[in-house]
Amino acid sequence: MEVSKGCATLLTSEPEALLTFYRDTLGLQVRLEGPRFSELSSAGGFRVAIMRQDAASAPPTGAALGFAVADWAGARETLRRSGLLDREEEDPTSGVRLL
């Protein structure tokens, strides 16, 4: 599995507050903004995503790492075989696939 880029994702029940902080205080540029998922980046290429995490589905805060891969199906199968994949979903707003 070859990883081409990555992103730190912050899970929160208050995504609007985090978006405001990273955009207005740290000066990151908004690349994608939606009701459940937003992504920002710095001029140097650091990327951070903010994802709404409802308390009913999981703890309301936390972090996750995201990676871009050329072979999605192969990467997913590698993670399944290793025992690391326990759920999979797609955000209907952004189309982002989550493992």
Side-chain angles (χ1 to χ4, degrees), residues 36-57:
R36 283 190 36 108
F37 182 86
S38 297
E39 185 176 298
L40 303 95
S41 66
S42 70
F46 174 76
R47 295 179 347 153
V48 63
I50 300 167
M51 184 172 162
R52 178 180 298 279
Q53 187 70 26
D54 298 321
S57 61

Side-chain angles (χ1 to χ4, degrees), residues 12-76:
T12 180
S13 59
E14 298 182 31
E16 298 84 4
L18 280 182
L19 178 64
T20 299
F21 172 76
Y22 281 97
R23 181 191 59 218
D24 299 348
T25 305
L26 298 183
L28 274 64
Q29 293 186 335
V30 176
R31 300 292 181 201
L32 175 69
E33 185 174 353
R36 283 190 36 108
F37 182 86
S38 297
E39 185 176 298
L40 303 95
S41 66
S42 70
F46 174 76
R47 295 179 347 153
V48 63
I50 300 167
M51 184 172 162
R52 178 180 298 279
Q53 187 70 26
D54 298 321
S57 61
T61 60
L65 296 176
F67 300 97
V69 295
D71 179 10
W72 170 256
R76 183 176 56 207

